[in-house]
Amino acid sequence: MTEPAYSAPLSPQLVAAILDMDLPQHLLDDLAQTPDQTGDILLGAAAELRERRPDLARQVLDLLREHPPEPDYRQYATHMLAGLLRSQGAAEEADGLIAELMSPGVLGRPMAAVLADEFAAAGDLDRALYCYNIACRSILAEPVELLERMDPMGLLPLMGRAQVRERLGLPEDEHDRAVLAVDEARPSLEEEMGLLAEPVETGPEARVVLTGREPRHYLEVERALREDGGGHRVVLADAAEIDAYAGEHGLDPVAEETRSAWARTLPEDRALAWPPERNGPCWCGSGRKYKKCCGSASGR
């Protein structure tokens, strides 16, 4: 086996540890070709190995925690390790890692946004708001007039913050009002087509993802796929296709059964393998490389 040629920014300890691990050859090839993406590649390796080789997945994550190529990767690895431990029934150890992430002065904005979404989904609103405030720190310092010109992806934490504040019964502040107004001004495809946005399971290895979604939709699908592990297929579908199929067969376009039935009529080559090659196009149809889009460490 040819040893990857790593670039200077990586520590010798990290390089030596990588070469000592029993990583699949295709991952070593990726590391050799794009050493500047080592953090993302190792996180992807841990996700890929989680089901088949959880012991090796943990080694990879422990390595990233000990020798992160960049500071944020320690947080990403800690978060992924907590998920791995939780799936193995080690909830107390997983909770300890999350508490470590949330220590004062430790939590960075990207990971704060990830944790905030998870806490909000679990109904842990106080911790969700704490994390959203960290994730939104730079946005909250901007005049509200600038929000309508911001990229929708950048507004997701602020939208989550506004929703959590509302659930907590807190009065709206100016950023809450501004981001909610921006969101309401954008027409949703659900309203136009009468279709739901959630991904649809079409079997153990495939799911339908409606196109034309807000960025949060693809982020949530990517996270769900990572939690499930590799070996999935993704079918991108325009809502109009399913609407037409439903009309032709007298079915309810909103029903999951309709979309599942539609998906079963598709040729095999319509489904995209997940995860894609890191340097290949992202599955979401953005036109960007997977490693720079949904396949990035934070998921887009």
Side-chain angles (χ1 to χ4, degrees), residues 196-209:
L196 300 176
E198 287 78 10
V200 180
E201 296 288 354
T202 60
E205 294 185 350
R207 69 173 63 206
V208 173
V209 180

Side-chain angles (χ1 to χ4, degrees), residues 57-164:
R58 174 150 194 177
Q59 287 181 41
V60 171
L61 294 173
D62 284 339
L63 173 63
L64 272 175
R65 280 165 46 79
E66 187 174 354
H67 302 292
E70 298 173 20
D72 281 348
Y73 285 103
R74 186 178 196 281
Q75 297 189 22
Y76 295 136
T78 299
H79 177 257
M80 189 176 288
L81 179 56
L84 175 62
L85 291 169
R86 205 176 300 281
S87 71
Q88 296 174 335
E92 186 174 348
E93 189 176 356
D95 290 342
L97 290 176
I98 297 301
E100 174 188 318
L101 279 177
M102 295 183 65
S103 300
V106 172
L107 190 58
R109 286 198 298 269
M111 183 49 60
V114 173
L115 289 177
D117 287 346
E118 292 181 355
F119 288 141
D124 190 344
L125 301 184
D126 289 330
R127 287 206 291 180
L129 183 57
Y130 171 81
C131 292
Y132 276 131
N133 283 333
I134 294 174
C136 297
R137 189 174 292 155
S138 60
I139 304 176
L140 293 172
E142 297 287 346
V144 294
E145 294 79 11
L146 297 181
L147 295 187
E148 63 183 20
R149 298 200 294 271
M150 288 185 63
D151 180 80
M153 189 67 187
L155 290 177
L156 291 180
L158 192 62
M159 175 59 68
R161 175 182 179 272
Q163 292 169 344
V164 165

